[in-house]
Amino acid sequence: MLRDTPDRLPQDVRPMSNARLGILVLLGAEMMLFSGLIGAFLVFRMGNVTWPPPSHIDIQLPRAVTGINTALLLLSGYTMFQALRAIQKDRVKQLRNWLLLTGALGVLFLGVQGSEWAQLIRSGMTLQSGVYGGIFYVLLGCHAVHVIGAVIWLFIVLGMAVSGRFAASRHIGVETCAIYWIFVVALWPILYVLVYLA
Amino acid sequence: MRFIFWGTVLMLVVLIAPTCVEACPACKDLKEPIGRGFNSSIFFMMAMPFTIVALIGGSVFYHYRRASKNRDRMGSS
């Protein structure tokens, strides 16, 4: 009787694990959160004839550096995909290396973002300095919090990979982490185009 | 009968003169930038639940189909 339950079946013949379904539902909630924030941004962006508003007209967002940072984050999406492929082929050592590289790229992204924010705050653009600063920090800050969460999760998965907890037949922990990471990575170019280029 | 009559009248008013029954004062005039902003935001957020349901539903459907094919392949071999 137990042999027929989905959890007892090999991973490639199971319809869908609870963990994968759970992460999809979580991502649905995350998408609603970000769509609300992007909706608020659209109201402010299109509701103002000039953008940035006259009070922030002298503030220049670092488009070029953020563009390079975007490329780094997209690269981390590729390395995460490679990590997932490695464990699907039972290559645990490659999994560790790809995860480590992904984590390093994530930390680098956060570091560059942090230094940009410090410069913007020094130049007078703060959370309280008006609609422009407010929506900028809330929207991108919310994404940064998600990247921090994803980096922490990734290093937990890396620790589990080092202790030999994953194999080709048992890697749902890597898979859920990869789905979340790719969501966070895929969201960033949309925010970059909206906030920095539009 | 009276309910049907007044219901029909109300529906005709809504259909013929929609500007008389607009609920949102902010997005009334689409010539104003703030109206366009609210309009775009509402359409964007309105589309999002459908996108999410389609993505989750599509993913579940794809995984069930793939697992079913794999099971058939295992059964035949």
Side-chain angles (χ1 to χ4, degrees), chain A residues 59 69 86 99 111 123 136 138 145 147:
Chain A
I59 291 190
N69 214 17
L99 283 178
S123 63
F136 177 88
V138 169
V145 167
V147 177

Side-chain angles (χ1 to χ4, degrees), chain B residues 8-70:
Chain B
T8 310
V9 168
L10 186 66
M11 195 176 283
L12 282 173
V13 168
V14 170
L15 289 172
I16 295 165
T19 51
C20 298
V21 289
E22 275 178 342
C24 176
C27 49
K28 194 172 175 179
D29 192 358
L30 286 179
K31 288 175 193 142
E32 293 294 318
I34 192 74
R36 281 202 303 271
F38 271 110
N39 205 39
S40 311
S41 174
I42 289 163
F43 273 113
F44 175 74
M45 286 193 286
M46 206 171 70
M48 203 44 76
F50 298 103
T51 312
I52 292 166
V53 169
L55 283 174
I56 295 177
S59 177
V60 170
F61 178 73
Y62 166 76
H63 283 104
Y64 267 82
R65 283 288 298 270
R66 195 178 66 171
S68 175
K69 277 182 187 170
N70 286 341

Side-chain angles (χ1 to χ4, degrees), chain A residues 102-117:
Chain A
T102 309
L105 286 168
V107 171
L108 188 62
F109 172 83
L110 286 170
V112 174
Q113 280 289 98
S115 71
E116 276 179 16
W117 280 31

